[in-house]
Amino acid sequence: MTEQSASLQKPLALVTGGVRRLGAAIAQRLAEAGYSVAVSSHTAGPELPAGLTHWDADAAAFQADLSAPQSPARLLAEVTAHFGRLPVLLVNNAAMFGQDDARSMTAESLDEHMALNFRAPVLLAQALAEQASAARHTAAVVHITDQRVRNPVVDQLSYTLAKQALDASVRSMARALAPHVRVNAVAPGLTIATADYDEATIAAAAAAMPLHRLPAASDIADAVLYLARAEAVTGQTIFVDCGAHLESFRRDFMNF
């Protein structure tokens, strides 16, 4: 078997926002598990995460502004044309994260978050389902949501509303896209802290979790891989948050 024909035997995964942070960890885990991996980024000329070359993956990076209405279908077409086959796994990880609340939220901030965090994943899933149904193939969709969809906080309101909408869509889309496409979600807790968190805040957040720790990126990636392979599972959300969704916090963890 030639190298090219061996590559065509691999299942193909598309990870949006897969160039850095949690998306890169998910892409690397999928490559390790034997997937060819397409990653997308809003940035022009995105580079592959270093981990993909480590696993000698058949991988490619694509630029896409997924907040544009026609962009999700266009990205799927570009990925399919590049690899010569349809993805069997779509991981909707790309998201924006704003800092508004009930007083500062505007129509513009709400529209921006809804476009990328809700509309784009739904349209990508729809486009994949259309292609999979036409080809009589099966595929899986895994949305990356957030533990706060269960117990929301008062911070980051536009972000939270968009993630709640995406979470609510899981069961409806799982029913609508069956039998060719399964739709599930992973809801992480605080996983990769930004520069907004100092060591004391991270330690306080970990101590507040029922499991007294925070999830690692590898925990989220492992849950995505499980749902990719769980052929009898659809319409489910797995919370990978060390129990954060079992508690009720008024403010975001950065405000501990």
Side-chain angles (χ1 to χ4, degrees):
M1 181 181 295
T2 66
E3 182 177 345
Q4 182 178 10
S5 61
S7 176
L8 290 173
Q9 298 299 314
K10 292 182 178 181
L12 173 61
L14 167 58
V15 182
T16 67
V19 171
R20 64 189 190 96
R21 293 177 58 80
L22 182 58
I26 293 170
Q28 179 175 335
R29 183 69 182 94
L30 294 172
E32 176 188 358
Y35 282 80
S36 297
V37 180
V39 296
S40 75
S41 172
H42 181 79
T43 305
E47 296 182 357
L48 287 171
L52 292 186
T53 56
H54 172 74
W55 291 105
D56 194 27
D58 177 21
F62 299 82
Q63 189 275 332
D65 176 9
L66 292 173
S67 63
Q70 304 305 318
S71 187
R74 186 181 303 119
L75 173 62
L76 183 64
E78 290 176 356
V79 170
T80 301
H82 177 87
F83 285 91
R85 60 196 189 279
L86 192 67
V88 299
L89 173 63
L90 166 63
V91 183
N92 281 309
N93 169 75
M96 67 177 298
F97 191 91
Q99 295 293 335
D100 60 359
D101 57 19
R103 291 185 176 182
S104 60
M105 183 177 70
T106 64
E108 290 75 19
S109 69
L110 185 58
D111 284 348
E112 288 176 353
H113 282 81
M114 284 293 185
L116 182 59
N117 297 358
F118 172 65
R119 186 180 67 195
V122 170
L123 291 180
L124 267 169
Q126 178 193 39
L128 178 61
E130 289 177 352
Q131 296 296 320
S133 177
R136 297 188 178 276
H137 290 170
T138 58
V141 173
V142 180
H143 298 314
I144 304 300
T145 59
D146 194 297
Q147 61 82 23
R148 73 179 62 196
V149 302
R150 180 65 59 86
N151 287 314
V153 296
V154 300
D155 306 297
Q156 297 96 29
L157 186 56
S158 291
Y159 168 84
T160 300
L161 289 170
K163 287 295 188 179
Q164 286 176 317
L166 185 59
D167 176 69
S169 78
V170 170
R171 285 170 53 84
S172 295
M173 293 296 285
R175 189 66 189 89
L177 303 186
H180 294 286
V181 174
R182 296 182 297 107
V183 181
N184 294 290
V186 174
L190 175 59
T191 304
I192 302 176
T194 65
D196 300 305
Y197 294 81
D198 57 27
E199 292 185 7
T201 304
I202 294 173
M209 300 301 107
L211 295 185
H212 291 180
R213 72 177 186 89
L214 298 175
S218 58
D219 296 321
I220 313 305
D222 285 344
V224 170
L225 182 59
Y226 163 73
L227 289 172
R229 293 171 166 173
E231 296 184 358
V233 179
T234 194
Q236 301 296 314
T237 295
I238 299 178
F239 287 82
V240 186
D241 61 356
C242 294
H245 73 284
L246 302 174
E247 304 289 343
S248 182
F249 304 103
R250 176 169 175 75
R251 301 295 305 277
D252 183 73
F253 297 136
M254 74 172 62
N255 296 309
F256 270 27

